[in-house]
Amino acid sequence: MSMNTLTTAQILTSFIPRRRFHYQQHQPVFKLTRSPRLVCMAEPYLITKLESAEKTWKELSVKLADPDVVSNPSEYQKIAQSVSDLNEVVSIYMHFKDCEKQLEETKALAKEAGNDEEMADMIASEITSLNKELKELEEKLKMMLLPTDPLDARNIMLEVRAGTGGDEAGIWAGDLVRMYQRYCERNSLKYAPLSCSEAEHGGFKTYVMEIKGKRVYSKLKYESGVHRVQRVPQTETQGRVHTSTATVAIMPEADEVEVVIDPKDIELTTARSGGAGGQNVNKVETAVDLMHKPTGIRIFCSEERSQLQNRSRALQLLRAKLYEIKLREQQEKIRSQRLSQVGTGARAEKIRTYNFKDNRVTDHRLKMNFALMNFLDGDIEDAVQACTTMEQKLQLPSPEKPDLVLSLLRKHGFSKTQISNLVRKRPSLLLANPQNTLLPKFEFLYSIGIQESVLTRTLSSDPTILTRSLENQLIPSYKFLKSVLLSNERVIAALKRTTWIFLEDHSKNLVPNVATLREFGVTQKCIALLLTHFPEAVMQRHDQFYEILQEVKDMGFDPQKSTFVLAVHAKAGKANKSIWDNCCRVYSKWGWSKDDISIAFKKHPHCMMLSEKKIMENMDFFVNKMGLSSRLIAHSPAVLFFSLEKRIIPRFSVLEVLLSKGLVKEDYSLCTLLLPAEKGFLERFVSRFEKEVPDLLSLYKEKLDTKKKKEHS
């Protein structure tokens, strides 16, 4: 037997002096005190599972040689896959048993080592090494025997969508798309674009790609959530750092049998794709616009050169989206337990921050940092493996902290869905000390007047507050906010708007920003209004906040009036700049000049924060259906905020009847018609003319009921 094939115990035996067997009983025997007495033996349940796995592996390996199995390709492939799945765990278990055998042999040698101190040291070192190796193997086997997600082997649809940050958000979404493409290339995964919408200044508004390969979902399922970037954008001219976001959703590929799609529920239209591809895509309607009526999901697919291929792609993507909805419902039950996945599903979670200034990527779930440039080049495997390990640790059987944490959450009124959201966003909270870490924070929040329903809703939406120090962060934040807002009710209102009002370093921005508001002459009442209802506006960088205050003041706003702080809110933040530009573009379509926009902004600053859809629908009614001057709306911008179906159409229906009968003058005031509450409107325009038009109230209610019926249907 060669030296290379001998076990460590056998090698050690060859070095033990033979004379040790001739010691007399009266001679002192050297006692080995350096070797640990504890042998690392696996838990019984683990041994039972491993022996069963090994037995199954051997039986399946024999079956692979069976001629009947070999002649059946599908059966052979199925068994071969099962053997392949068991190979690693059986191999490690065999190694585990070999180590145990070596440990027993080495411990036996310890009894024969006599008083040879040099040999005793060698044996003690070997026992320590084997014990350590056994412990590591046992932990690895525990992880490998955990139940796997049945979706892990699936291919996926990966969707990247630009979030807050305007043009920079689109550029950032493009960077994330390239990162995942590079990851696929590094790991021999195949990817192909399914649908995309390019952003105006580069990047994408949305981008969906299909990724195929071995166990793709198991690797990328932890990428779901909000990815935040902090850098100087390409669109920034003054070198300021901006914070933008993009969301990533991972949808496991669904088989057609798993999601039933009724053709009657699909509305499909075609269009010309345009762009590169020759006359076919420019002259033939190859693009497909698919609408799923029950869910409102709309998919536009134009990547392929034929209508049939685009239709197939669109249906494939629809199946995946419907499967995601179904999967989310199923996972609500799973997430209510301790065995929750890390970071799957919802998009409101900030899972990572990519900081260009510090060349650092921070994963907030793992509390780990990675090198930025390598990460963006697709080297994300370390983060993927770390997320997998964290999930596995949470799944290990343990009667300790996780169950106690869940018990505490239930005791304080958290529903299954809320617990699911909290655990998914901050899985590390399951390892917190419930009595010493979590309970004091609950009691503190209750003490300032937060009701249980508000507490559960707020913390399940963003549980970050539970990860911060009570004495060093939460209490000091509360004391400062109370000193500015003067009441617990306002502090709670600000907290409900954003938990980050308790988490930011106030000395950096919030304290100097509040001081600057006072320097500008803003009243205490207006400061409280701004901080209570729009805290994000006051939390931005101090130099930027000062510039906005000066700009709003130069526009003619009075710092002592509420419109001043409303204008500050409308101007504050990177996202609001993008919204402002979009509103200017939309209002210009309706013939508003810069002066008209300025007039509207001064009358109601938040008119520059409305969505394009809201503006277009209301302006279309006022101008095209009612024949009003678009510039008239600029002098009464408050009317743009009202619901078309719930207020504007029912009230104008009443007005038209009154005008037709000459009961009111044609130079009516829009504000008089639309601004009063319902009671005031009925008194002035309905009850007053009850004799002349008995059916007027019925007409009004009929219009309201029509809206309600639409909502119910």
Side-chain angles (χ1 to χ4, degrees):
M1 183 181 292
S2 67
M3 184 68 75
N4 291 335
T5 61
L6 295 174
T7 66
T8 304
Q10 290 169 329
I11 294 173
L12 289 173
T13 303
S14 65
F15 290 109
I16 297 178
R18 294 294 174 186
R19 59 187 175 83
R20 62 184 171 78
F21 295 107
H22 302 291
Y23 285 168
Q24 300 298 317
Q25 287 189 5
H26 66 274
Q27 290 179 309
V29 179
F30 179 80
K31 294 183 179 180
L32 186 64
T33 58
R34 296 175 180 81
S35 63
R37 300 181 66 182
L38 177 65
V39 178
C40 180
M41 297 295 290
E43 298 174 42
Y45 85 91
L46 183 62
I47 294 298
T48 303
K49 286 187 175 183
L50 291 168
E51 288 177 348
S52 176
E54 185 179 23
K55 181 181 177 182
T56 303
W57 177 79
K58 288 178 179 178
E59 291 173 352
L60 292 174
S61 298
V62 171
K63 280 188 177 182
L64 283 177
D66 188 332
D68 293 337
V69 174
V70 174
S71 62
N72 187 339
S74 61
E75 182 68 13
Y76 182 87
Q77 185 178 5
K78 183 179 178 181
I79 295 175
Q81 183 61 48
S82 298
V83 171
S84 175
D85 292 341
L86 289 171
N87 272 339
E88 187 176 4
V89 68
V90 171
S91 174
I92 294 176
Y93 179 46
M94 288 179 173
H95 183 35
F96 178 84
K97 290 195 292 185
D98 288 341
C99 284
E100 276 197 322
K101 183 179 178 181
Q102 290 180 43
L103 181 60
E104 291 301 320
E105 292 175 353
T106 306
K107 286 181 72 69
L109 286 177
K111 299 176 182 179
E112 302 175 1
N115 61 356
D116 189 330
E117 189 170 351
E118 184 178 347
M119 182 55 61
D121 286 340
M122 187 181 298
I123 293 174
S125 175
E126 180 65 17
I127 290 176
T128 301
S129 176
L130 286 170
N131 268 320
K132 181 179 179 182
E133 186 175 3
L134 275 171
K135 187 175 181 181
E136 291 174 352
L137 288 171
E138 182 178 353
E139 289 300 314
K140 193 170 184 179
L141 287 167
K142 282 182 181 179
M143 296 292 190
M144 295 181 72
L145 288 177
L146 289 172
T148 58
D149 188 336
L151 301 173
D152 281 350
R154 292 181 181 272
N155 298 324
I156 65 168
M157 307 284 186
L158 185 149
E159 177 192 71
V160 180
R161 186 182 295 271
T164 58
D167 296 330
E168 164 65 3
I171 296 171
W172 172 233
D175 292 342
L176 287 178
V177 169
R178 283 186 287 275
M179 181 182 82
Y180 291 119
Q181 289 173 341
R182 287 289 295 128
Y183 175 77
C184 293
E185 293 164 2
R186 284 171 173 266
N187 292 273
S188 302
L189 303 174
K190 296 181 180 179
Y191 66 88
L194 291 182
S195 177
C196 71
S197 173
E198 295 184 1
E200 186 177 349
H201 291 84
F204 302 99
K205 294 179 181 177
T206 58
Y207 189 98
V208 182
M209 72 172 88
E210 177 186 39
I211 302 180
K212 294 182 177 181
K214 187 176 180 181
R215 298 178 65 79
V216 176
Y217 184 74
S218 69
K219 298 173 183 177
L220 291 175
K221 61 184 178 181
Y222 307 110
E223 295 301 301
S224 292
V226 175
H227 295 244
R228 182 174 74 170
V229 63
Q230 294 176 326
R231 65 182 178 186
V232 178
Q234 300 174 15
T235 54
E236 172 60 49
T237 58
Q238 300 181 25
R240 295 177 297 187
V241 174
H242 287 225
T243 300
S244 304
T245 63
T247 60
V248 175
I250 306 296
M251 297 167 285
E253 189 177 49
D255 298 329
E256 188 147 10
V257 294
E258 295 174 306
V259 176
V260 179
I261 302 175
D262 190 339
K264 297 178 182 178
D265 293 336
I266 295 177
E267 184 178 305
L268 190 145
T269 57
T270 59
R272 297 177 187 176
S273 295
Q279 295 183 0
N280 183 61
V281 297
N282 288 299
K283 293 188 175 182
V284 181
E285 293 189 343
T286 58
V288 168
D289 190 358
L290 185 149
M291 170 70 78
H292 187 244
K293 289 181 278 189
T295 60
I297 295 173
R298 183 180 181 183
I299 298 168
F300 184 81
C301 203
S302 61
E303 298 298 320
E304 302 296 337
R305 290 177 56 81
S306 75
Q307 185 185 120
L308 184 63
Q309 289 173 318
N310 280 322
R311 184 179 184 277
S312 177
R313 283 290 182 110
L315 286 171
Q316 183 185 27
L317 186 54
L318 175 62
R319 282 194 296 272
K321 285 182 174 288
L322 292 175
Y323 187 82
E324 183 192 20
I325 295 172
K326 181 180 177 182
L327 174 65
R328 192 176 299 146
E329 293 172 353
Q330 294 172 341
Q331 286 181 336
E332 289 302 329
K333 297 179 181 178
I334 299 172
R335 289 171 183 164
S336 64
Q337 304 172 359
R338 180 160 50 86
L339 309 180
S340 301
Q341 289 187 357
V342 180
T344 58
R347 301 181 178 194
E349 174 192 8
K350 178 186 67 180
I351 63 169
R352 291 200 194 106
T353 295
Y354 301 72
N355 190 306
F356 275 66
K357 180 182 177 182
D358 299 329
N359 190 33
R360 179 186 71 226
V361 177
T362 300
D363 194 300
H364 302 289
R365 301 161 299 176
L366 303 170
K367 298 182 180 178
M368 293 175 62
N369 294 329
F370 305 91
L372 176 66
M373 290 300 117
N374 292 340
F375 211 87
L376 290 178
D377 193 41
D379 186 10
I380 66 173
E381 188 62 27
D382 288 345
V384 169
Q385 292 302 323
C387 285
T388 303
T389 301
M390 174 174 281
E391 182 187 21
Q392 289 173 335
K393 286 181 178 178
L394 293 176
Q395 292 186 38
L396 286 175
S398 169
E400 299 174 357
K401 290 179 182 177
D403 290 334
L404 294 175
V405 169
L406 293 177
S407 177
L408 178 70
L409 294 174
R410 294 188 194 101
K411 182 179 178 181
H412 286 272
F414 284 82
S415 67
K416 290 182 179 180
T417 301
Q418 289 171 334
I419 291 175
S420 161
N421 290 335
L422 187 146
V423 171
R424 175 171 43 77
K425 293 173 182 178
R426 287 291 181 269
S428 59
L429 285 174
L430 286 179
L431 304 178
N433 187 309
Q435 295 300 317
N436 297 337
T437 304
L438 300 181
L439 184 58
K441 293 171 186 174
F442 286 170
E443 291 175 340
F444 164 70
L445 293 171
Y446 288 139
S447 72
I448 66 175
I450 294 183
Q451 296 179 350
E452 186 179 90
S453 59
V454 175
L455 178 81
T456 55
R457 186 169 60 251
T458 302
L459 294 184
S460 63
S461 176
D462 184 1
T464 309
I465 198 170
L466 293 176
T467 67
R468 299 298 176 87
S469 168
L470 179 61
E471 291 77 15
N472 299 330
Q473 182 72 50
L474 304 186
I475 293 177
S477 294
Y478 163 72
K479 288 181 177 178
F480 171 74
L481 291 171
K482 180 70 177 294
S483 70
V484 177
L485 298 176
L486 305 179
S487 74
N488 282 345
E489 290 76 13
R490 288 174 179 165
V491 173
I492 294 170
L495 177 63
K496 286 164 66 177
R497 291 280 181 178
T498 173
T499 56
W500 284 95
I501 196 74
F502 266 60
L503 304 175
E504 289 286 308
D505 180 1
H506 291 164
S507 62
K508 188 176 181 181
N509 292 315
L510 195 56
V511 172
N513 286 350
V514 170
T516 304
L517 284 168
R518 288 171 175 154
E519 291 173 5
F520 270 74
V522 180
T523 64
Q524 172 62 36
K525 182 179 179 181
C526 289
I527 292 175
L529 171 67
L530 184 62
L531 191 54
T532 302
H533 296 284
F534 317 112
E536 300 93 339
V538 199
M539 292 166 62
Q540 63 184 314
R541 221 170 65 188
H542 178 59
D543 57 337
Q544 295 176 353
F545 188 70
Y546 181 88
E547 290 177 4
I548 290 169
L549 292 181
Q550 191 61 56
E551 180 184 359
V552 170
K553 187 176 181 180
D554 292 343
M555 293 176 75
F557 285 91
D558 185 349
Q560 296 191 349
K561 293 184 178 179
S562 60
T563 50
F564 182 87
V565 293
L566 294 179
V568 169
H569 174 234
K571 282 284 188 178
K574 300 164 288 299
N576 288 358
K577 173 64 168 64
S578 175
I579 295 171
W580 174 282
D581 293 341
N582 189 55
C583 284
C584 287
R585 178 180 59 81
V586 177
Y587 286 133
S588 296
K589 286 183 179 180
W590 290 98
W592 285 19
S593 65
K594 289 184 178 180
D595 289 339
D596 293 327
I597 293 173
S598 177
I599 289 170
F601 181 62
K602 288 179 180 178
K603 285 183 174 291
H604 203 311
H606 280 181
C607 72
M608 299 305 293
M609 300 183 72
L610 291 172
S611 69
E612 180 174 352
K613 180 182 178 183
K614 182 77 170 176
I615 298 171
M616 292 297 290
E617 287 181 348
N618 285 8
M619 288 293 285
D620 178 65
F621 178 83
F622 290 133
V623 177
N624 295 333
K625 291 186 174 60
M626 300 309 302
L628 301 177
S629 165
S630 67
R631 298 186 66 184
L632 175 66
I633 313 301
H635 291 266
S636 305
V639 301
L640 292 171
F641 290 82
F642 297 126
S643 166
L644 198 59
E645 293 82 4
K646 293 180 180 179
R647 179 173 292 212
I648 297 175
I649 291 177
R651 294 193 180 188
F652 265 93
S653 298
V654 170
L655 178 67
E656 285 184 308
V657 172
L658 297 177
L659 287 172
S660 66
K661 295 183 177 295
L663 297 174
V664 295
K665 296 180 180 179
E666 293 192 4
D667 60 344
Y668 61 88
S669 166
L670 267 179
C671 293
T672 303
L673 177 69
L674 296 176
L675 263 57
E678 185 171 39
K679 182 180 178 181
F681 168 77
L682 291 175
E683 289 176 352
R684 183 159 189 170
F685 289 92
V686 179
S687 303
R688 181 181 172 188
F689 303 104
E690 188 175 359
K691 292 182 179 180
E692 293 86 347
V693 191
D695 297 332
L696 200 54
L697 181 60
S698 299
L699 172 67
Y700 176 71
K701 289 184 176 180
E702 181 184 341
K703 293 295 182 180
L704 291 177
D705 290 341
T706 301
K707 166 58 183 172
K708 291 178 181 177
K709 288 177 182 178
K710 287 182 180 179
E711 290 176 343
H712 288 304
S713 62

